[in-house]
Amino acid sequence: MTEALIEPIIGLEVHVQLATRSKMWCGCAVEFGAPPNSRVCPVCLGLPGALPVMNRQAVEYAILTGLALNCSISRVSRWDRKSYTYPDLPKNYQISQYDLPLCVGGYIELKSDHRILKVRIRRAHLEEDAGKNVHDLGPFTAVDLNRAGTPLLEIVTEPDFSSADQVRQFAVELQRLVRYLGVSEANMQKGQMRFEPNINLRIRTPAQVVCTPIVEVKNLNSFRALHGAVSYELKRQREAWRTSGVTAATGNKTNRGWDDDRQVTVPQREKEEAYDYRYFPDPDLVPLTTSAEHVEYRRGQLPELPIPRTERFISEYKLPPRDAPALVDCRMTADLLDAAAEAGGHKEILGKHFLGFWARFANERHTTIAGLGLTARRMAELANLVGDGKISTTAARQIAHAMVQRVDELLASRPAATPRPAPGHCDTLRDPVDSPDLDPVRLAEKLRLLQSSDVGEIQHWVDRVFAAHPQAVRDARRNPKKRKPARGFLLGQVMKTSGGKADPKIAGRLIDEKLHADE
Ligand code: ZN
Ligand code: MN
């Protein structure tokens, strides 16, 4: 075999279920887990004479997502019928958008191996979901039409990926994005986000450049399955080309499915060419028009998006790049951190507190930091006590704990505090509460945690520690190898002896003076 340069070419289609209360073309509720066929009406059952009425909210969500993906929003787009003859969509067609989709020509930029990977978005269009065929009821196949007519946004990228890692990274970012916008829960266990990558290889040999036949892997509903299917398919196509030499030609694009148990792709029915779907404009629906003013109004409503916000958090709050995404994921928590900084809180310390004890207290309560119910101002005040050297970091944790417990009490005695759903990755939140006894300064006094900058008092603690740990004192004075750790140990002991109250800067200075003075 001559040496060949093999280049993967991968594009992705994603179906995202929009978080509307009702279906795309009727008033039936969109509800996961309702009794079978309990959320249906003549429209979504496809009964003769029933007419669709467009769900405005679905269109607004699609516009918002399109803008976040840097797409142009079409002034006029159209609804088309796509032939579909399976029992889970009883109209025998799906209402979709064919040649005039709502969103076109966008992109999203990912950081990949310290390079920017620009993934172009070909289009994003609205359509409706099918119901579910149920095959595990004995000799029959049953159909549940609750999901039929649920609004979906289909997002199609250009074939800009060259590895399974890149595809997964894009999928993760897309999930963050739609959650951030509040347009979808994007819960993959509930099938609210489904992936269909199309994959082939471009192979350059000294003699020629050829491509392997394109394979589309259908209906992947986890990041793991997506990554697994793409990796497997790249390997399989390389082998298939080596043994058979078959290259891409009209009509040899195929569909495959993913066998999760065996971690392989398996052949499926042949891919219909577009004309097989017999798309034609839906005569029951007028074209969808969108004014430039309205699009600009929506653009104004876009929040700061997760990718740029993560970058800003890393530089502004000095967050470790690995940890920053976790803080950004919940939009309400990220907003709270910004609000605390705006309230005058010390940024770097706020960042440490958010990644540290606030996150831990939130986890313990199965909520997010925003769900703890504290105000931004109180969090800022606590950070500034540390920043001003009035309390130690350990003391801040103790005060924070007292604050959170007090909020729990206040909320328990206030039945009016209603949990509410929030956009982004956030759990159900409660409104923040405040009261004078949540004042960190008061708590510091009450818990006797205010740091001492009284030199006499700190000197007393230093003397006690020197007397108690002569070996460490000898090491700090004479052993060049142990000097630094021994000094650190002595400082730690002073902090411990003082109950965290000694100002560490003053304590450090007094320790150094004593180490030199008595030498
Ligand atoms: Zn209905
Ligand atoms: Mn589709």
Side-chain angles (χ1 to χ4, degrees), residues 26 35 48 178 219 256 311 351 366 412 419 421 454 458 488 513 519:
C26 60
V178 295
N219 227 0
R256 296 176 78 89
E311 292 299 310
H366 305 289
D454 177 336
I458 298 173
E513 280 172 13
E519 209 156 7

Side-chain angles (χ1 to χ4, degrees), residues 23 26-28 39-45 148:
K23 294 187 182 179
C26 60
C28 293
R39 303 294 183 268
V40 291
C41 73
V43 174
C44 53
L45 288 174

Side-chain angles (χ1 to χ4, degrees), residues 428-501:
T428 301
L429 297 183
R430 29 194 210 185
D431 287 314
V433 288
D434 197 17
S435 92
D437 53 11
L438 285 170
D439 180 351
V441 179
R442 277 204 197 187
L443 285 166
E445 281 164 359
K446 192 175 132 199
L447 299 169
R448 302 171 158 280
L449 290 168
L450 279 180
Q451 237 160 34
S452 170
S453 16
D454 177 336
V455 176
E457 192 177 15
I458 298 173
Q459 186 68 59
H460 171 69
W461 289 319
V462 169
D463 292 345
R464 262 173 60 193
V465 167
F466 268 59
H469 301 282
Q471 183 59 47
V473 172
R474 269 196 298 280
D475 288 343
R477 281 182 177 144
R478 298 198 189 93
N479 190 334
K481 275 196 196 138
K482 289 191 181 168
R483 181 170 292 150
K484 253 181 118 173
R487 183 195 179 273
F489 171 79
L490 292 171
L491 180 56
Q493 289 302 310
V494 171
M495 295 310 292
K496 198 175 160 191
T497 307
S498 72
K501 280 159 69 184

Side-chain angles (χ1 to χ4, degrees), residues 267-436:
Q268 279 187 344
R269 73 184 151 90
E270 286 304 297
K271 172 96 179 169
E272 294 89 343
E273 290 299 323
Y275 57 80
D276 284 330
Y277 290 127
R278 289 176 172 78
Y279 281 101
F280 68 94
D282 192 313
D284 290 341
L285 290 159
V286 294
L288 172 62
T289 56
T290 316
S291 75
E293 293 76 39
H294 184 70
V295 169
E296 287 320 303
Y297 164 71
R298 283 285 170 220
R299 198 192 301 279
Q301 288 187 324
L302 281 179
E304 186 184 19
L305 299 176
I307 294 176
R309 196 172 208 184
T310 304
E311 292 299 310
R312 180 170 66 79
F313 273 25
I314 290 168
S315 70
E316 227 172 279
Y317 298 102
K318 306 281 183 283
L319 302 180
R322 282 173 57 105
D323 301 334
L327 268 193
V328 175
D329 274 348
C330 167
R331 188 169 143 191
M332 307 302 278
T333 294
D335 288 349
L336 182 65
L337 176 54
D338 277 339
E342 251 162 64
H346 188 294
K347 286 187 178 177
E348 219 176 311
I349 296 173
L350 277 171
K352 285 206 177 83
H353 288 182
F354 268 65
L355 285 177
F357 51 72
W358 292 133
R360 207 158 50 243
F361 296 141
N363 281 342
E364 285 166 12
R365 284 159 182 76
H366 305 289
T367 184
T368 57
I369 298 176
L372 286 172
L374 278 157
T375 62
R377 187 167 65 93
R378 293 302 186 202
M379 290 175 150
E381 286 169 354
L382 181 63
N384 287 348
L385 281 182
V386 179
D388 296 343
K390 298 217 172 74
I391 57 170
S392 67
T393 306
T394 327
R397 205 196 144 276
Q398 285 173 260
I399 294 167
H401 189 221
M403 289 165 83
V404 169
Q405 281 185 327
R406 185 70 192 122
V407 170
D408 286 346
E409 285 167 23
L410 288 168
L411 287 172
S413 64
R414 252 183 242 183
T418 42
R420 64 199 152 83
H425 195 232
C426 315
D427 277 326
T428 301
L429 297 183
R430 29 194 210 185
D431 287 314
V433 288
D434 197 17
S435 92

